[in-house]
């Protein structure tokens, strides 16, 4: 196999995370940050961190573990100040890694910086080498520290907005960032808007978050998505925010997998409610691949909205299918996907999911999941449901076959682990021992999201990426984004 340069961060890990930022009028930001991180826990369970600023100095707590375990009431009391940022980090197949817990914070000549990053840069190694040659010393292997050093360097020469613009012109790849420079909280989204980031209004301030569900948790109102290439600067007194469109491109590269799997169904991302998208994708799945069986069952939890949309469309079409919760999930079992060995992954699926015998016994059954990656879940489930007495087991998948890795921030396993990388759907059907297997088409995804193929990142299902990645094909002419002229606040 040809040697591929690893465009994930230098340690081979990618940053698949949730970020928040809060600026309030006269009340400490620690608790709103804590609650919003709680709402984003699904985006990262390896580490959690909060950095606040009280007008004089930073306060920080960043630890390995879940949000509820990392912070107790005393910790939150000590995180003083009305502005702050927070981060939850996704676990990776490489195991725990304390060095990359975030937010990353640093003090330097022009003040203090804190950075929380969701995404993955494709040129972090190059920038890091350049900065090292200039004498910068790095303490971690992650992309985030590279961004922090570059920004700190620019801040020695430029004002905040120009410094961010210069850093954005240098870094390539996907990034949704919340940044603290002294007590100012900033939000930045990469010029193709690969990862989500939105702005919310609270009674006494503003919040930035990867997903709108975090804003709901704070009883806030979603104002809008941060635009691709836009910098948002929250006023330190919580009174508003300024917008600067720093980089412009004609196209976007929104990650479709956020809608299919990663985001919460109750979040609105780039103007679409994820729940509605998944239900509509379920409807399309019926239209494209439907087969009438006695029962339609979701693989909990991610298959649920697809399955309800599928069953509803089936019945509206004159079929007679029962939508049933026939698989019970043990919610105390962690994520099976990242277990290090195949044997452990298989055991974990069995621990996690159990069929309700009476729902499937003597019946023809369709199970619906959002995606097949390695094929572990589907193989195990088909076997279990047959053992529980099903007459036929059909599998329907709410995404196209995953044929290539993700370089943009979602842990997708490596190419040689992806079952669809070198197998046809019929070969996969045989391997999972299903009576039939069908996936949703790429066109259906684009139709439901109401975007052209060229405005989505479809790299994992096409093997062609919207970013310039060595050893991979690109699906568009890769042009470095134009640096916008506007540094005047817009009217938002
Ligand atoms: P697999 O068992 O390897 O085929 O993986 C598919 C299952 O893992 C599905 O039930 C998905 O909901 C879930 N899944 C898909 N992508 C990811 C991901 N990036 N991280 C964790 N779980 C995932």
């Amino acid at each position: 196999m040809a040697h591929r340069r690893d465009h994930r961060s230098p340690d081979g890990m990618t940053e698949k995370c949730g970020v928040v930022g809060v600026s309030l009028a006269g009340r400490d930001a620690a608790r709103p940050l804590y609650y919003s991180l709680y709402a984003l826990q699904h985006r990262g369970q390896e580490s959690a961190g909060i950095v606040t600023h009280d007008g004089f100095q930073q306060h920080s707590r960043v630890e390995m573990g879940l949000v509820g375990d990392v912070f107790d009431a005393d910790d939150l009391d000590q995180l003083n100040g009305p502005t702050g940022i927070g981060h939850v980090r996704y676990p990776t197949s490489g195991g725990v890694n304390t060095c990359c817990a975030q937010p990353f914070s640093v003090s330097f000549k022009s003040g203090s910086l804190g950075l929380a990053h969701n995404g993955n840069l494709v040129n972090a190694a190059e920038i890091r080498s350049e900065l090292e040659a200039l004498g910068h010393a790095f303490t971690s292997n992650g992309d985030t520290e590279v961004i922090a050093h570059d920004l700190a360097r620019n801040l020695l020469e430029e004002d905040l907005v120009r410094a961010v613009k210069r850093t954005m012109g240098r870094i390539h790849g996907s990034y949704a960032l919340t940044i603290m420079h002294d007590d100012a909280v900033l939000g930045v989204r990469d010029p193709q808007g690969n990862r989500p980031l939105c702005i919310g209004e609270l009674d006494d301030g503003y919040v930035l978050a990867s997903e709108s569900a975090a804003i709901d948790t704070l009883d806030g109102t979603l104002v809008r998505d941060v635009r691709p290439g836009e910098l948002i600067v929250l006023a330190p007194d919580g009174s508003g925010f300024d917008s600067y469109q720093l980089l412009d491109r004609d196209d976007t590269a929104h990650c479709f997998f956020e809608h299919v799997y990663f985001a919460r169904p109750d979040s609105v991302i780039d103007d679409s409610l994820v729940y509605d998208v998944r239900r509509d994708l379920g409807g399309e799945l019926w239209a494209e691949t439907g087969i009438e069986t006695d029962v339609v069952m979701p693989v909990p939890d991610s298959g649920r909205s697809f399955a309800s949309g599928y069953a509803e469309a089936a019945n509206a079409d004159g079929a007679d299918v029962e939508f049933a919760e026939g698989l019970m999930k043990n919610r105390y079992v962690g994520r099976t996907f990242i277990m290090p060995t195949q044997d452990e992954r298989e055991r974990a699926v069995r621990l996690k999911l159990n069929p309700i015998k009476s729902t499937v016994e003597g019946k023809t059954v369709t199970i619906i999941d959002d995606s097949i990656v390695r094929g572990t879940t589907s193989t195990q489930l088909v076997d279990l449901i047959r053992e529980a007495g099903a007459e036929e087991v059909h599998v329907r998948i709410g995404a196209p076959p995953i044929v290539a890795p993700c370089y943009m921030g979602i842990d997708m396993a490596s190419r040689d682990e992806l079952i669809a990388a070198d197998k046809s759907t019929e070969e996969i059907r045989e391997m999972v021992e299903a009576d039939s297997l069908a996936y949703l088409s790429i066109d259906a995804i684009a139709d439901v999201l109401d975007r052209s193929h060229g405005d989505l990142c479809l790299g994992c299902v096409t093997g062609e990426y919207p970013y310039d990645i060595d050893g991979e094909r690109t699906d568009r002419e890769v042009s470095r984004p134009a640096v916008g002229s506007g540094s005047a606040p817009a009217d938002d």
Side-chain angles (χ1 to χ4, degrees):
M1 188 192 278
H3 172 72
R4 279 178 204 285
R5 232 167 89 197
D6 196 344
H7 279 270
R8 295 180 290 181
S9 52
D11 61 356
M13 298 196 309
T14 57
E15 315 280 341
K16 305 146 288 276
C17 312
V19 298
V20 292
V22 165
S23 187
L24 298 174
R27 143 170 97 102
D28 277 350
R31 280 181 169 75
L33 286 165
Y34 171 74
Y35 295 131
S36 52
L37 287 181
Y38 233 119
L40 299 181
Q41 186 76 82
H42 63 290
R43 297 186 73 87
Q45 301 94 45
E46 185 181 80
S47 67
I50 290 177
V51 174
T52 59
H53 201 285
D54 63 11
F56 299 100
Q57 59 173 337
Q58 273 190 353
H59 303 273
S60 150
R61 180 167 175 81
V62 179
E63 289 292 331
M64 306 306 289
L66 298 171
V67 177
D69 298 329
V70 165
F71 304 98
D72 61 23
D74 287 345
D75 299 325
L76 295 175
D77 287 343
Q78 280 163 28
L79 289 164
N80 295 320
T83 58
I85 60 172
H87 188 267
V88 283
R89 184 184 163 83
Y90 202 70
T92 62
S93 42
V96 288
N97 194 322
T98 337
C99 76
C100 295
Q102 298 187 34
F104 180 81
S105 53
V106 62
S107 289
F108 65 110
K109 207 173 154 200
S110 308
S112 63
L113 262 186
L115 246 100
H117 176 205
N118 173 211
N120 190 56
L121 302 187
V122 295
N123 66 339
E126 285 155 53
I127 301 176
R128 186 186 162 114
S129 309
E130 286 168 27
L131 289 169
E132 278 172 341
L134 292 169
H136 287 251
F138 287 82
T139 58
S140 77
N141 290 326
D143 289 2
T144 315
E145 193 177 353
V146 173
I147 305 174
H149 277 257
D150 194 71
L151 189 53
R153 188 173 179 78
N154 294 337
L155 279 166
L156 297 177
E157 294 167 12
E158 309 261 31
D159 65 30
L160 182 60
V161 173
R162 279 177 215 281
V164 172
K165 186 162 139 183
R166 213 201 255 186
T167 294
M168 287 170 78
R170 247 158 90 74
I171 57 177
H172 301 300
S174 67
Y175 51 92
L177 298 166
T178 51
I179 305 175
M180 278 199 86
H181 178 231
D182 294 333
D183 60 351
V185 173
L186 285 61
V188 179
R189 205 169 168 201
D190 77 66
Q192 285 168 281
N194 185 256
R195 295 279 144 234
L197 188 65
C198 58
I199 316 165
E201 186 174 356
L202 309 178
D203 286 345
D204 56 354
Y206 282 84
V207 53
L208 292 157
S210 293
E211 291 183 36
S212 64
I215 299 168
D216 297 339
T217 305
L218 302 180
D219 290 328
T221 313
L222 173 65
V223 176
R224 63 171 173 84
D225 296 289
V226 176
R227 298 181 188 111
E230 186 184 27
L231 161 69
I232 297 291
V233 183
L234 302 187
D237 63 358
S239 61
F241 64 89
D242 289 327
S243 150
Y244 304 84
Q245 189 60 44
L246 296 185
L247 299 183
D248 283 314
R249 273 187 75 122
D250 295 337
D251 58 342
T252 58
H254 297 312
C255 167
F256 86 95
F257 208 67
E258 285 277 352
H259 295 274
V260 164
Y261 170 76
F262 205 45
R264 280 172 59 146
D266 52 339
S267 284
V268 176
I269 291 186
D270 292 317
D271 292 329
S272 305
L273 177 66
V274 173
Y275 173 74
D276 286 347
V277 167
R278 290 186 190 162
R279 295 234 329 141
D280 289 351
L281 292 174
E284 289 299 311
L285 188 60
W286 166 262
E288 288 188 342
T289 74
I291 177 165
E292 187 169 352
T293 53
D294 300 326
V295 181
V296 170
M297 293 183 349
V299 177
D301 293 310
S302 46
R304 195 164 281 135
S305 334
F306 292 92
S308 69
Y310 179 97
E312 196 174 292
N315 289 330
D317 233 11
D320 181 17
V321 305
E322 180 198 351
F323 173 76
E325 291 279 357
L327 283 165
M328 281 304 111
K329 180 175 162 183
N330 180 337
R331 70 185 63 195
Y332 303 101
V333 178
R335 294 171 63 245
T336 54
F337 187 83
I338 53 142
M339 299 274 178
T341 67
Q342 187 58 20
D343 194 42
E344 283 170 287
R345 285 194 287 269
E346 283 170 17
R347 183 156 306 280
V349 171
R350 184 66 190 90
L351 255 179
K352 191 166 175 174
L353 293 165
N354 198 31
I356 296 178
K357 217 171 171 197
S358 60
T359 314
V360 300
E361 202 164 24
K363 308 245 177 78
T364 56
V365 174
T366 304
I367 54 171
I368 304 210
D369 204 353
D370 62 282
S371 57
I372 293 182
V373 182
R374 298 184 182 92
T376 319
T377 309
S378 309
T379 310
Q380 292 277 303
L381 285 182
V382 170
D383 189 36
L384 276 175
I385 292 165
R386 268 198 220 289
E387 261 179 39
E391 271 176 16
E392 291 171 21
V393 187
H394 302 266
V395 178
R396 293 294 178 269
I397 300 296
I402 308 282
V403 297
C406 176
Y407 295 92
M408 292 304 133
I410 291 191
D411 188 8
M412 275 291 191
S414 60
R415 204 179 230 106
D416 53 357
E417 292 175 300
L418 296 170
I419 195 169
D422 58 0
K423 287 182 188 61
S424 68
T425 301
E426 176 53 21
E427 287 168 327
I428 300 169
R429 184 201 67 75
E430 274 176 30
M431 287 181 72
V432 304
E433 297 183 354
D435 289 284
S436 76
L437 164 69
Y439 293 87
L440 191 62
S441 70
I442 295 176
D443 284 347
I445 302 267
D447 282 353
V448 167
L449 289 173
D450 200 18
R451 303 205 184 254
S452 67
H453 289 204
D455 276 330
L456 292 171
C457 181
L458 296 164
C460 62
V461 294
T462 60
E464 296 179 351
Y465 299 86
Y467 298 85
D468 191 9
I469 296 163
D470 253 12
E472 299 284 5
R473 297 193 309 273
T474 177
D475 64 356
R476 55 195 85 180
E477 204 177 305
V478 179
S479 58
R480 295 306 187 203
V483 178
S485 54
S487 61
D491 288 333
D492 276 309

